[in-house]
Amino acid sequence: VGEEEADLQEQFGRLDGTIEQRRETLNSIQAQLDSLLAQRRELVDVRTAIQDRLDEIADLLSRFDLLLEHYAVDIERLTAIQESGAMFAHVESVPCPLCGASPEAQQHDAACDGDVEAIVQAASAEIEKIARLKGELQATVADLKYEAVSQEQELSNKNEEYENVNKQIQETVAPTVSEERASFSELIEKRAEVQKGLDLYARVAKLEERRTTLEEDEGKEGSSGAIVSGLPDSVAHDFSLRVSK
């Protein structure tokens, strides 16, 4: 029985050492998995941010296209006013079609609602202003389109990174972690079985100690009815073999 108990103690020691080694391995692989999971979450956030920016750029470009159309219409209208005013300035003097003043009564150095030259100048100034705004807006549109191309390329790169990380998680690290956890659990269960066997031997030892104490107290040394100490050799050996499997 003593040999069987010693075998169990040896098995327990080996299992304890193996469990500690496996614990370190499991912790290392788990840390690798946690790192990859954090990296994947970060990639998801980055992809979302890029897509949000692309949506924002698309919305801005749509609005700016409408604004450019308005600028084009305004310039066309003002150009027509400018050209009409220039033509009107070269016709013969006739009564003013706007205020009705006769050619003799017209005061070309005084302002009136029909001051063609002032209208032409105002139209020209407005055309210059709109043309400047249009140029600035076109530059902004060009920058946004360039940014959109850059963001799309970045999104493509992040999508590729995400797929690689996710594939590594799904096909390599996660299965390895699951296998290590299962193996670690088996070792824990096996050590628990060995511990039960050792506890049983400890319990028997206590019973033997108690029996000895009782026998000494009662003065019945060498009693023929003494309890057989320990476990039967066949039972102890069978239990040891079962645990070591």
Side-chain angles (χ1 to χ4, degrees), residues 28-38 169 173-174 177 181:
S28 176
I29 298 176
Q30 183 65 53
Q32 182 181 1
L33 177 60
D34 292 341
S35 176
L36 288 172
L37 290 173
I169 291 173
V173 181
V177 170
R181 284 176 179 171

Side-chain angles (χ1 to χ4, degrees), residues 46-63:
V46 171
R47 292 194 311 170
T48 300
I50 293 175
Q51 188 59 59
D52 289 344
R53 178 55 181 165
L54 285 171
D55 293 341
E56 182 182 3
I57 290 174
D59 182 61
L60 289 172
L61 289 176
S62 178
R63 294 182 181 184

Side-chain angles (χ1 to χ4, degrees), residues 21-237:
Q21 293 177 355
R22 289 294 181 86
R23 191 193 306 278
E24 293 179 1
T25 301
L26 179 59
N27 289 339
S28 176
I29 298 176
Q30 183 65 53
Q32 182 181 1
L33 177 60
D34 292 341
S35 176
L36 288 172
L37 290 173
Q39 186 177 350
R40 185 173 65 177
R41 286 193 298 269
E42 181 179 354
L43 286 170
V44 170
D45 293 339
V46 171
R47 292 194 311 170
T48 300
I50 293 175
Q51 188 59 59
D52 289 344
R53 178 55 181 165
L54 285 171
D55 293 341
E56 182 182 3
I57 290 174
D59 182 61
L60 289 172
L61 289 176
S62 178
R63 294 182 181 184
F64 289 166
D65 284 343
L66 291 176
L67 187 53
L68 287 172
E69 291 178 6
H70 286 304
Y71 282 163
V73 171
D74 289 343
I75 290 176
E76 184 178 354
R77 175 178 57 81
L78 291 169
T79 300
I81 292 175
Q82 186 183 48
E83 292 175 351
S84 298
M87 291 177 60
F88 185 74
H90 291 86
V91 301
E92 61 178 333
S93 298
V94 295
C96 180
L98 298 177
C99 66
S102 64
E104 296 78 10
Q106 294 176 13
Q107 299 178 8
H108 296 287
D109 58 345
C112 75
D113 293 339
D115 190 341
V116 176
E117 184 177 353
I119 293 175
V120 171
Q121 290 178 353
S124 299
E126 190 66 18
I127 288 174
E128 291 180 5
K129 176 184 176 182
I130 294 176
R132 184 180 70 256
L133 294 174
K134 180 181 179 182
E136 293 174 354
L137 184 58
Q138 286 174 330
T140 301
V141 168
D143 290 341
L144 287 174
K145 288 183 177 180
Y146 178 82
E147 183 185 352
V149 172
S150 177
Q151 291 285 347
E152 287 174 354
Q153 181 61 47
E154 183 69 11
L155 180 60
S156 177
N157 293 339
K158 294 304 178 182
N159 284 335
E160 185 176 353
E161 288 182 34
Y162 176 86
E163 292 301 327
N164 290 335
V165 171
N166 190 58
K167 183 178 181 180
Q168 190 175 357
I169 291 173
Q170 298 295 333
E171 297 183 3
T172 305
V173 181
T176 301
V177 170
S178 297
E179 292 173 1
E180 286 294 331
R181 284 176 179 171
S183 177
F184 186 78
S185 297
E186 289 178 2
L187 288 172
I188 294 296
E189 292 176 0
K190 194 169 185 179
R191 185 178 65 176
E193 290 183 6
V194 173
Q195 184 63 59
K196 287 180 180 179
L198 292 174
D199 291 344
L200 181 59
Y201 277 112
R203 183 180 178 185
V204 170
K206 288 182 179 180
L207 290 175
E208 290 177 346
E209 182 180 355
R210 182 180 179 185
R211 183 206 63 182
T212 301
T213 301
L214 291 174
E215 287 179 347
E216 290 177 352
D217 291 343
E218 296 175 2
K220 296 181 179 180
E221 296 181 0
S223 174
S224 59
I227 301 173
V228 179
S229 63
L231 295 174
D233 290 345
S234 60
V235 174
H237 181 67

